[in-house]
Amino acid sequence: MNRLRRLRVNETMRQLVRETRVDRSDLVYPMFVTEGENVKNPIGAMPGICQYSVDRIHEEVERVVNAGISGVLLFGIPAHKDEAASEAYNDEGVTQRAIRRIKEQAPGLLVIADVCLCEYTSHGHCGVVCGGEILNDETLPLLAKMAVSMARAGADVVAPSDMMDGRVAAIREALDAEGFKNTMIMAYSAKFASGFYGPFREAAHSAPCFGDRKTYQMDPANRREAVRECLTDIEEGADVIMVKPALAYLDIVREVTDRTDYPVAAYNVSGEYAMVKAAAANGWIDERKVVMEILCGIRRAGAKIIITYHALDAAAWLGEEERGNGGV
Ligand code: PBG
């Protein structure tokens, strides 16, 4: 008789045949940095996640380094917002100062700078706005300037999340022209117009003040178009492609993994985190089991890199498993 249960008789056997593993080095932890002094501001819908001012960011960075996570993805919240998103490409802006501080403290930690205008514009859209329209080509030079400013501050990776057409090419060209040939581009290639970003917009103060993002972010219904977005970004010079959100889009993660030879990242976004935290706080699910199952599912779908607000907890649990106290 074919007995598949032979493969499951005990934990040693299960480990022997386990097909997918999550490693701490797969994880990237998003962080929010804000103006002001001595700020540590908890975000209501994201329990455990805070905004930090530059002078306190070292507290969280120390935890990240000790956890053995590969990198942080930085979002800046400037005090001043305007139509031209000036703070986005100000070398003395809050994000740029945070990058320099983190690089001094932890030179080996990968610093990934999100490149998008929405936290920096007065209207909260990801591009330049004129007459209620979000302009594509006029936005590209600003994104390119922002990416160069982040690279100059010390960012190892820039991650354009705006979904304008042609932005990867514009950013690559500007980085190369300024001598940042090794600054990597991790493109939010298949980024969907999603309800799962709700808590993030509170955390990053980036909700659009009119309309929505449906003219630039993707329609959740489209899988084939997601492949086109990824192939286009690769052609333009992306080093890593990303699918976002992760959980309702695991078929997209699998599809682009199969259709390209590039590393794929998946962003386990704020709303996905909030749902797990809320259910766990009510005692309705076992947080550790559910989080590890989610991360394993994202890896199994094909993503190598997982951007997740669970990164610190997950790294601690993975460390315990490595030492042999977990899982059985
Ligand atoms: C900026 C950006 C967003 C997220 C990452 N970069 C918000 C948005 O597009 O509205 C969402 C991240 C999350 O929900 O965790 N464009």
Side-chain angles (χ1 to χ4, degrees), residues 30 32 46 73 75 114-119 124 126 159 161-163 188 191-192 194 196-201 204 206-208 213 216-217 244 267-272 309:
F32 301 97
M46 300 173 73
L73 172 59
F75 296 97
D114 191 82
V115 170
C116 186
L117 304 187
C118 65
E119 295 113 74
C126 304
S161 67
D162 53 283
M163 288 300 279
Y188 289 71
K191 178 174 179 179
F192 292 88
S194 171
F196 287 99
Y197 307 149
F200 175 93
R201 292 181 188 170
S206 68
R213 304 210 200 284
Y216 44 106
Q217 297 183 350
K244 175 187 176 187
Y267 198 144
N268 179 212
V269 300
S270 57
E272 298 171 331
Y309 302 96

